Amino acid sequence: MNFVPKTKNYKQKVEDSFKLQKFMDFIGAKLIKVAPGFCEIHLPYNENLTQQDGFFHAGIISTLADNAAGYASFSLMEEDASVLAVEFKLNLISPGVGDLLIARANVLKSGKTLSVCRADVFTMKDGVEKLCAASQATLIQIKKL
């Protein structure tokens, strides 16, 4: 879809907000790409982010899906807006086995207040991407508190 951001500095707005997320910094996530209605986040493998079998933990996979969807929708919001998730559903498709997690989100519908996004999370192993999780999220535009 072709979306037009409501502010010229949408990319900087997303980057600045991402830098404020201490949890993203804590786990080592990196904002890779932002375009109108799109976001991509990467997370290198870290043993501290795994479950008992050494796979990326579902909570980490969910976090990346949530953040990618949030920032995809945030890229289309007003200058003075903030974004919050209202709901999201995550389907875990395959174990989080790999050297890298890649979350890519696209806005499906951008409304005045609510947006609907799809986020897919992939694992990268030996240069091959594999779908790990699929998510759909509803996000709300709110005035900064």
Side-chain angles (χ1 to χ4, degrees), residues 14-134:
V14 170
E15 290 170 354
D16 290 347
S17 178
F18 189 86
K19 288 176 188 171
L20 293 174
Q21 286 205 25
K22 296 190 185 311
F23 188 63
M24 291 290 94
D25 183 52
F26 179 74
I27 65 173
K30 303 290 182 217
L31 183 63
I32 300 299
K33 183 176 180 183
V34 177
F38 176 82
C39 179
E40 182 171 328
I41 299 172
H42 289 189
L43 178 65
Y45 181 84
N46 178 331
E47 189 176 86
N48 293 315
L49 305 177
T50 63
Q51 46 81 286
Q52 69 278 3
D53 294 312
F55 308 154
F56 278 103
H57 193 282
I60 293 297
I61 294 167
S62 175
T63 295
L64 257 57
D66 174 48
N67 271 263
Y71 283 124
S73 66
F74 190 53
S75 71
L76 301 175
M77 293 182 180
E78 301 288 342
E79 181 68 33
D80 63 344
S82 189
V83 62
L84 288 174
V86 174
E87 70 81 34
F88 72 94
K89 177 188 183 352
L90 181 78
N91 288 93
L92 296 162
I93 310 257
S94 65
V97 178
D99 305 317
L100 181 70
L101 279 183
I102 301 167
R104 294 187 186 107
N106 291 286
V107 172
L108 301 175
K109 168 75 172 145
S110 180
K112 184 176 179 182
T113 305
L114 296 176
S115 297
V116 177
C117 294
R118 175 184 170 100
D120 292 321
V121 181
F122 301 86
T123 56
M124 174 80 78
K125 185 174 182 182
D126 300 324
V128 177
E129 288 186 21
K130 182 177 181 181
L131 184 62
C132 172

